């Protein structure tokens, strides 16, 4: 949160897109290929808004993957 004094001109760095994924949050990893969709659970290593890339630990395989945030708590991983 940032304070801006009354009458000040707002610039893009004063506004932030709402976070959809927070650090250490449990997220759903989504993998799509054609008509096949698979989902698993992961733990976010960073935070971000829709469209941002974030690293996640796949809790099943313990592997680190990187994906794009597509919704609240949703990270799409591409092959």
């Amino acid at each position: 949160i940032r304070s801006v004094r009354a009458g000040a001109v707002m610039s893009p760095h004063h506004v932030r897109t709402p976070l959809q994924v927070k650090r250490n949050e449990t997220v759903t990893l989504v993998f799509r290929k054609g008509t096949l969709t698979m989902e698993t659970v992961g733990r976010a290593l960073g935070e971000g808004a829709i469209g941002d890339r974030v690293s996640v630990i796949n809790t099943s395989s313990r592997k680190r993957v990187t994906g794009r945030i597509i919704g609240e708590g949703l990270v799409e991983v591409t092959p």
Side-chain angles (χ1 to χ4, degrees):
I1 296 179
R2 266 193 173 148
S3 296
V4 178
R5 67 187 160 85
V9 176
M10 298 286 289
S11 66
H13 79 273
H14 288 108
V15 181
R16 181 174 172 176
T17 306
L19 295 177
Q20 299 297 312
V21 170
K22 295 179 181 149
R23 189 174 194 279
N24 288 323
E25 177 180 63
T26 298
V27 297
T28 301
L29 292 170
V30 180
F31 172 81
R32 294 186 182 115
K33 182 146 178 135
T35 59
L36 174 69
T37 301
M38 297 186 329
E39 295 182 357
T40 191
V41 177
R43 184 176 51 85
L45 299 176
E47 64 183 23
I50 290 178
D52 291 343
R53 296 189 62 76
V54 66
S55 292
V56 178
I57 294 288
N58 179 328
T59 54
S60 298
S61 68
R62 310 299 294 163
K63 290 186 180 184
R64 182 180 181 152
V65 296
T66 301
R68 186 176 52 87
I69 299 171
I70 59 171
E72 187 172 344
L74 295 173
V75 178
E76 183 177 44
V77 180
T78 53

